[in-house]
Amino acid sequence: MDVLNARLEALERAVLSADGGTNNTENMSEQIAYIERRLGQVLADHTPLAQGLEKYTKLKGVIDGDGDLDLSRQLLGAGAKVELVLLNDSAVHTLADLRAIRDLQSNISQPEYAAAAKLLPKARQLEQQHTEQARELRRAVAGISSVVDRYHAETEALSELFVRWDQILTGIEREVSELEAASPVFPSSRR
């Protein structure tokens, strides 16, 4: 009963403190009807609020209970509690976005950003120098690659020559050995 009285008193304070909001009606039921119409207009304009009120109305008996908070906690499941907390999902996201923006504000207002505009011409000059250095590096790498390729080709050619000379020398030595073995002038070194 105390809860009902407290709500009625809060409603009366809200009605009496409204600036011309009740059209100067003296009857309490007319004032309540006006407030309900006004609430309907606000809910029509703000659908997340209307959805939240609808969810609250469905769970009102469990949420309000009869003053026994433990009973209300037991009756209300975790999913319903989460739904109530997230009644206005867009407001939660907006609040999170605002907090993130507030946290980033110190990063946005750094004095280094003001100095960055002054350094832009120097940065462009450095960028041009870097581009030229990159071109020079590509030319140097191409030149070194061609030298290495020529080195490999010449080394391979020399290797083939050495192999051929080795074959020729081996053939000559074999012929000389055969001639020595066949010639009486050179006695064989048999023991």
Side-chain angles (χ1 to χ4, degrees):
M1 195 56 112
D2 290 334
V3 173
L4 184 59
N5 286 335
R7 286 186 179 178
L8 185 57
E9 288 173 10
L11 180 62
E12 286 175 347
R13 277 194 307 272
V15 168
L16 294 177
S17 66
D19 295 330
T22 60
N23 296 329
N24 294 326
T25 58
E26 294 182 19
N27 186 350
M28 187 65 146
S29 63
E30 289 177 13
Q31 290 178 357
I32 292 173
Y34 174 77
I35 290 173
E36 286 178 348
R37 282 194 309 275
R38 191 72 187 107
L39 177 64
Q41 291 172 351
V42 169
L43 292 177
D45 292 342
H46 304 285
T47 53
L49 288 176
Q51 293 169 349
L53 183 62
E54 181 181 330
K55 290 177 184 179
Y56 171 78
T57 305
K58 289 178 183 176
L59 300 170
K60 183 178 179 180
V62 176
I63 294 170
D64 291 343
D66 58 354
D68 187 359
L69 191 57
D70 290 330
L71 179 63
S72 296
R73 285 185 183 142
Q74 291 172 0
L75 292 176
L76 192 59
K81 290 177 185 175
V82 169
E83 256 188 84
L84 289 174
V85 169
L86 301 176
L87 281 176
N88 191 350
D89 194 35
S90 63
V92 171
H93 289 299
T94 303
L95 182 61
D97 291 344
L98 288 174
R99 284 183 182 148
I101 290 170
R102 183 190 67 212
D103 293 342
L104 293 174
Q105 186 66 33
S106 62
N107 295 334
I108 293 171
S109 303
Q110 294 290 327
E112 291 85 8
Y113 292 141
K118 296 175 187 173
L119 297 174
L120 187 60
K122 185 168 182 145
R124 287 192 177 135
Q125 180 184 7
L126 289 174
E127 184 180 13
Q128 289 174 350
Q129 288 176 352
H130 174 71
T131 303
E132 183 59 34
Q133 288 173 349
R135 270 191 230 119
E136 289 175 14
L137 176 66
R138 283 193 295 273
R139 283 193 294 261
V141 167
I144 291 171
S145 293
S146 68
V147 167
V148 168
D149 289 343
R150 275 188 283 140
Y151 169 78
H152 286 303
E154 290 176 11
T155 304
E156 187 176 342
L158 285 174
S159 294
E160 289 175 4
L161 280 175
F162 287 140
V163 167
R164 182 68 186 133
W165 288 346
D166 185 53
Q167 290 172 349
I168 291 172
L169 289 176
T170 304
I172 290 173
E173 286 177 357
R174 189 181 60 238
E175 287 179 22
V176 167
S177 295
E178 289 174 1
L179 287 174
E180 284 179 350
S183 167
V185 176
F186 298 105
S188 76
S189 56
R190 295 183 192 163
R191 295 183 186 182

